[in-house]
Amino acid sequence: STEDATGGVEVKRGNMSDPEDDDDSSSDTDFEPSQLGTKEYWEDVYQKELETFTDIGDVGEIWFGEESMSRVLRWMDRAKIPAEAAILDIGTGNGAFLVELAKHGRRNLTGIDYSLASVELARNVLSGEDLSDVTVKEVDFLNCHGELKGFDVCIDKGTFDAISLNPDSSKEDKKLYVQALKDALKDKGFFAITSCNWTKEQLLDRFCDGFEFVEELPTPSFHFGGKKGNSVTALIFKRMY
Ligand SMILES: C[S@@+](CC[C@H](N)C(=O)[O-])C[C@H]1O[C@@H](n2cnc3c(N)ncnc32)[C@H](O)[C@@H]1O
């Protein structure tokens, strides 16, 4: 049986590659590198989405569906994250998550993306909603040179997945990602990751050093061949020194 709470967006597990991750004992993927890992790919995607938004006001793809944002928003309320907490959306894309966060009363929001077209699109989407006090910056998370720090919460929806796909240096990039995340978060700050590429066990393995696992957010599950799986994984971690 398949429970689809993904807002109609098709999601797949294990379709993203990790060919160089020979030190990752929990990796069970064995696929070819994908263009999805390159900056050129995303620049092209968001250039087209920017044109569409300008033409017809459509913000474009909501990765993993609306529910993927709602479950993180609900967790923030449950965890009593204050409205003024500094929140960073890593790889914000079209900025749709920033819009939802702002509409839910979050007042200290920053989005970053290494695609200039994404940054322009996110700014346009936000200003279309009269949300001009949200900061959106063109930053490569893997090369941010300490520019990002002091955040109470970092959110990632599909960006670590995309970074894991970089055909040139995925193994190195994953390590850079973990370090950049440690630098960006305050002590005891939270990290909310939504991934379609990595299982809970793989994410626990990746974010074990310097992070404490807090909880798994329920996501749609399916049964296939006698096994149960989840189309996406959503986990909360806490930064510990
Ligand atoms: C799958 S999309 C998800 C976008 C957005 N988080 C969402 O949920 O709609 C991956 C995003 O990560 C961004 N990205 C990939 N690598 C990045 C990097 N090194 N630094 C900043 N952004 C990056 C891409 O430009 C793209 O916007």
Side-chain angles (χ1 to χ4, degrees), residues 189-202:
F190 290 101
F191 173 49
I193 181 166
T194 304
S195 167
C196 75
N197 194 37
W198 302 106
T199 63
K200 176 183 176 184
E201 289 66 34
Q202 288 169 327

Side-chain angles (χ1 to χ4, degrees), residues 30-112:
D30 184 22
F31 299 90
E32 290 304 309
S34 158
Q35 284 308 105
L36 240 73
T38 67
K39 186 174 176 180
E40 293 69 29
Y41 174 85
W42 292 110
E43 189 60 20
D44 192 43
V45 165
Y46 288 112
Q47 194 58 53
K48 289 192 182 105
E49 292 205 357
L50 182 59
E51 282 163 26
T52 306
F53 182 72
T54 308
D55 288 347
I56 60 168
D58 184 332
V59 301
E61 174 129 20
I62 306 292
W63 281 84
F64 314 147
E66 300 276 349
E67 174 58 18
S68 66
M69 301 189 282
S70 307
R71 74 171 69 95
V72 174
L73 292 166
R74 285 195 300 270
W75 162 75
M76 280 187 187
D77 290 343
R78 256 192 303 121
K80 300 198 174 5
I81 305 292
E84 59 281 358
I87 300 175
L88 174 68
D89 186 20
I90 303 166
T92 196
N94 58 15
F97 212 157
L98 294 170
V99 170
E100 290 307 307
L101 287 158
K103 284 184 176 171
H104 281 77
R106 304 281 157 199
R107 293 200 289 267
N108 188 348
L109 299 173
T110 303
I112 60 121

Side-chain angles (χ1 to χ4, degrees), residues 42 46 63 91-93 113-115 139-142 157-159 163:
W42 292 110
Y46 288 112
W63 281 84
T92 196
D113 206 290
Y114 70 175
S115 155
V139 178
D140 181 344
F141 191 60
L142 305 183
K157 186 158 69 67
T159 300
I163 283 172

Side-chain angles (χ1 to χ4, degrees), residues 124-141:
N124 290 354
V125 168
L126 285 157
S127 74
E129 299 276 349
D130 276 334
L131 297 168
S132 47
D133 53 354
V134 176
T135 304
V136 185
K137 294 195 280 194
E138 182 195 359
V139 178
D140 181 344
F141 191 60

